[in-house]
Amino acid sequence: MFSAGDIMHKNPVTIDPFESVGRAAALMNQFKIGGLPVVEGGRLVGIITSRDVRYSHPNRLVADAMSRNVVTVSPECSFWEAKETMESHGIERLVVVRDGRTVGIITKSRLYAEIGKHVDALTGLNRAEFLQHKAAELLQSGQEVTVIFLDLDNFGAIDKEFGHVIGDEILQQVGKILKSVIAEGLDYLCRYAGDEFAVVTVRPLEEAKQLTWRMIKALADASWPQGIKVTASAGVAGGRRSRVRGEPNGTHNVRDLINLASLASTKAKREKRPVVVAGWVELEEAG
Amino acid sequence: MSSRAPFTSHSSEPVRRAEVTIRLSEFEIPPMQDVLLVGKRAPIGPEAVRRMVDALTPEQYDIIYLDHEIFEAAVLKRSLLKFLPQEKFLPVILEEGMRVATENTVVKAQVNIVVQVNRAVDL
């Protein structure tokens, strides 16, 4: 449901490398599209975009105007992975390939619109699905991950006493503070639900615990609207892949890991301790 | 009284003729000569040139893909390269080509190479 195959334009219009640039332009115009995969004998050999068409003489062969280095993804690639690929290459479309054959194309606008559905409008942070997919992706790439689950203390009471507008302001500020504490490329933050935030990180458990303390402290030290005191309780759980084969995409086990961190945060709240570490859990190997 | 307009007084209609001029000459095979320099935005690109060369004169030309400000590729007659190695010849032809070409053009060049040799032998 969150992979390239779900949102790609299936059976895209393609062109042969030995057709003319003029023909490519006509096809793009006819189908109102900005790029055509170039396919020879069923194999993807290049891509020609409206920019290439503008730059090249219409008599030219497509083979003489196309880009030969096509950035491709598999249908199983997640939205976020596709976004990273698109951004790192500075391109606006990705060709979706299975076994060397073109099966679809993803445009930047379609991808971003889809990702937008998984971004929390209030805080601008990704939603829970992102966390699950990021954790699964990191595990699949062989990395150990740690999940930090943060739950704001008595947020319901704050909402009731000061109103939802102030409550929303606080949630926005929490998002900003947590974002300022985490490190891009190491830690991935999301608003999990309501007053719950979560981070998946590739830091080892001990380091992740220190990060959790920094987040808790940053929230406690911040100044909040109307002098409200905002604190949070956190649970930390680490996961590593075992050699036992299990679920095909590992997502189920990632959910277990998130749940473990969530339960640890509940325990922290109950025992009035800022941070509870649930420890390590062995996850079944993906795929 | 006549109602005819005065300008219709000429009785003869204008004669329409077509003149056909034909120039016949032999089609050069291959149509390029010794060198072809393909501009980056020329109406044909290196792949089209390669197909043309392969079809008309197989194994007689080399196509060199270039990283150059004006030209995308150079097509060189192999026999020339027996006289002068590519690394010596290419910079010269590109330098001269740049003086007359733009990236929109394909330039053909006729090249004569005369090798002068002076040798002394013992009598």
Side-chain angles (χ1 to χ4, degrees), chain A residues 17-18 40 54-61 63-64 68, chain B residues 38-48 51 72 103:
Chain A
F18 301 112
E40 186 179 18
R54 279 197 300 277
Y55 186 78
S56 303
H57 193 285
N59 274 7
R60 275 205 167 206
L61 294 179
D64 282 328
R68 288 176 192 276
Chain B
V38 183
K40 277 181 167 175
R41 301 185 69 176
I44 60 166
E47 191 55 39
R51 285 165 76 88
E72 192 172 357
E103 58 177 15

Side-chain angles (χ1 to χ4, degrees), chain A residues 135-161:
Chain A
E137 186 186 304
L138 293 169
L139 282 167
Q140 275 171 4
S141 69
Q143 301 190 70
E144 293 179 358
V145 298
T146 303
V147 172
I148 301 164
F149 202 94
L150 272 122
D151 195 348
L152 299 185
D153 297 329
N154 304 316
F155 189 74
I158 292 173
D159 255 352
K160 275 184 191 146
E161 191 178 341

Side-chain angles (χ1 to χ4, degrees), chain B residues 29-30 53 56-62 76-80:
Chain B
I29 295 180
V53 167
L56 295 176
T57 53
E59 295 167 15
Q60 289 184 41
Y61 288 84
D62 281 340
L76 308 178
K77 200 172 192 176
R78 277 186 194 173
S79 57
L80 282 178

